[in-house]
Amino acid sequence: VKEKEGCMVRLMRAGGQRAERRLWPHMMHSCKDLHGLIFVVALSEYNLCLEENEDVMRMHESLLLWEQLLSYPRLQGARIVLVFNQFDLFKAKIETEGFNL
């Protein structure tokens, strides 16, 4: 929780693994004033599979989650930011391994 000039910002980290996602609706409903969401996707995991299901690519799962989050009624009207991180690792992986899926 960060407060500055009468404005309070509460950041909550919701894990991305399937077992942790069941908590997302509870977290969203526990916030009285939900104004935004930051959705982070690791670019360097573009060619990796989920730990829970080796038949599902992580990037594809992220896209499905993104679409699901956009449809949550609680997030209608909220500011939503999509962040792709780990660009440096992604670049290094492409240079050494190529762009193989």
Side-chain angles (χ1 to χ4, degrees), residues 39-42 57-67:
F39 188 79
V40 181
V41 178
M57 300 298 288
R58 291 184 187 187
M59 188 62 72
H60 185 254
E61 182 87 347
S62 292
L63 286 171
L64 292 175
L65 281 171
W66 173 252
E67 289 176 356

Side-chain angles (χ1 to χ4, degrees), residues 39-99:
F39 188 79
V40 181
V41 178
L43 277 174
S44 64
E45 297 180 355
Y46 77 95
N47 64 344
L48 300 179
C49 295
L50 296 178
E51 290 181 24
E52 304 93 338
N53 184 346
E54 293 185 7
D55 294 329
V56 178
M57 300 298 288
R58 291 184 187 187
M59 188 62 72
H60 185 254
E61 182 87 347
S62 292
L63 286 171
L64 292 175
L65 281 171
W66 173 252
E67 289 176 356
Q68 181 183 7
L69 283 170
L70 292 178
S71 71
Y72 277 14
R74 185 76 169 93
L75 291 173
Q76 299 306 307
R79 291 179 177 100
I80 302 175
V81 177
L82 175 60
V83 176
F84 292 98
N85 70 345
Q86 298 186 356
F87 179 77
D88 56 335
L89 299 175
F90 171 74
K91 185 178 175 187
K93 186 181 269 192
I94 295 296
E95 289 172 354
T96 59
E97 300 176 23
F99 194 76

